Amino acid sequence: TTQEQMQEAFEAYGTIVDCMVMWGKGFGFVTFQGPHTLQAGDAPMVNGKVVTVKEAVPVDKMSRSGDKASPPAVAAGCAKFFV
């Protein structure tokens, strides 16, 4: 999957300010500016495959004890998703 394919798949959900594909890892990140309609649990198609969407959480904010993690730290007015 290319960055362009990922961006195409998600641009209908809102204004994308950053889109990153982690080559060889099988995942990526999409960051939206302002209002967007993407929700954790949505399953859009990227490069012919359904992907799972989760809210991105910085590693230092992830819970090691199984508790829910804190909300992601991104620029004000932005939302970052793990896909």
Side-chain angles (χ1 to χ4, degrees):
T1 301
T2 66
Q3 183 173 333
E4 291 78 21
Q5 290 168 321
M6 180 98 83
Q7 189 155 346
E8 264 183 39
F10 287 93
E11 63 189 1
Y13 293 96
T15 303
I16 296 173
V17 294
D18 188 38
C19 182
M20 182 185 329
V21 174
M22 306 303 289
W23 299 107
K25 302 286 185 179
F27 67 92
F29 297 94
V30 179
T31 305
F32 292 94
Q33 176 66 49
H36 61 85
T37 60
L38 188 65
Q39 300 293 316
D42 283 351
M45 298 275 293
V46 177
N47 198 22
K49 298 176 185 160
V50 175
V51 298
T52 302
V53 175
K54 300 177 185 176
E55 200 165 0
V57 178
V59 173
D60 64 332
K61 299 292 183 196
M62 294 176 111
S63 172
R64 305 230 188 270
S65 65
D67 295 337
K68 292 209 174 224
S70 301
V74 294
C78 292
K80 188 172 186 175
F81 291 89
F82 172 86
V83 297

